Amino acid sequence: MPFPENTPSIDELINLPAGEIAQLPVELLAAMQREIDAAAKQMKAVTARLSTALEVRYAARAAEARRVCGKDTGTVRLADGDFTVVADLPKRVEWDQARLAAMVERIRAAGDDPSEYVEISFKVSERAYVAWPEAIRQGFEPARTVKTGALKVSILPQEDHA
């Protein structure tokens, strides 16, 4: 079958071995990548739409159920026909770093060990690190480990270079 009629569908692609897919012509790979990207965007949009609809339908009931239980966040279960709806409102706590640092200093000044109360971690911005003078970077080098993320490959048509 000529391209693009011989392009495997997404349903077929999921069952093909990666090595077999890798051997397909680059034009087919590019077409499949475009199709999958479009499907992923569509799935993301429809997922957001459904999530919004579920929120419209259940948010008020879930908030009331949490209020009755005396909690602002967490999971509640609601009956709807023959279904149980599980509505989870996660708690996301953020701490003011400057105020925590001040508290750590007060705890230290009082002679206590702040690690009994808070977890302390250090971070260095990579952008700042590469801008430092070499002598400072060398001092930090033993504490630095570089790991890589996953390789991302995009197949793009070549631009005309006229």
Side-chain angles (χ1 to χ4, degrees), residues 87-132:
D88 183 31
L89 184 63
K91 183 187 294 188
R92 303 241 192 268
V93 177
E94 293 182 9
W95 292 91
D96 182 308
Q97 297 300 297
R99 289 182 178 177
L100 281 180
M103 288 301 301
V104 165
E105 290 309 313
R106 282 190 219 129
I107 292 168
R108 269 198 193 108
D112 287 331
D113 179 7
S115 68
E116 291 182 24
Y117 305 99
V118 298
E119 293 178 16
I120 300 172
S121 66
F122 301 97
K123 293 182 181 182
V124 174
S125 155
E126 186 65 11
R127 182 172 287 191
Y129 173 81
V130 297
W132 291 346

Side-chain angles (χ1 to χ4, degrees), residues 20-147:
E20 192 175 317
I21 297 168
Q23 297 305 312
L24 294 172
V26 69
E27 296 84 4
L28 278 174
L29 294 172
M32 288 187 298
Q33 190 172 52
R34 284 191 306 274
E35 182 180 346
I36 291 167
D37 288 347
K41 287 178 186 174
Q42 184 178 25
M43 188 55 64
K44 185 176 179 179
V46 76
T47 299
R49 179 71 53 97
L50 180 61
S51 293
T52 300
L54 294 174
E55 189 173 325
V56 166
R57 182 168 178 152
Y58 297 111
R61 284 181 57 198
E64 177 60 19
R66 277 191 296 280
R67 188 193 64 72
V68 167
C69 294
K71 57 185 186 177
D72 296 326
T73 59
T75 303
V76 293
R77 297 180 182 284
L78 312 168
D80 191 354
D82 292 337
F83 294 89
T84 298
V85 177
V86 179
D88 183 31
L89 184 63
K91 183 187 294 188
R92 303 241 192 268
V93 177
E94 293 182 9
W95 292 91
D96 182 308
Q97 297 300 297
R99 289 182 178 177
L100 281 180
M103 288 301 301
V104 165
E105 290 309 313
R106 282 190 219 129
I107 292 168
R108 269 198 193 108
D112 287 331
D113 179 7
S115 68
E116 291 182 24
Y117 305 99
V118 298
E119 293 178 16
I120 300 172
S121 66
F122 301 97
K123 293 182 181 182
V124 174
S125 155
E126 186 65 11
R127 182 172 287 191
Y129 173 81
V130 297
W132 291 346
E134 182 63 29
I136 293 175
R137 279 200 314 260
Q138 285 178 355
F140 279 81
E141 190 67 29
R144 181 174 181 258
T145 301
V146 177
K147 297 179 181 178

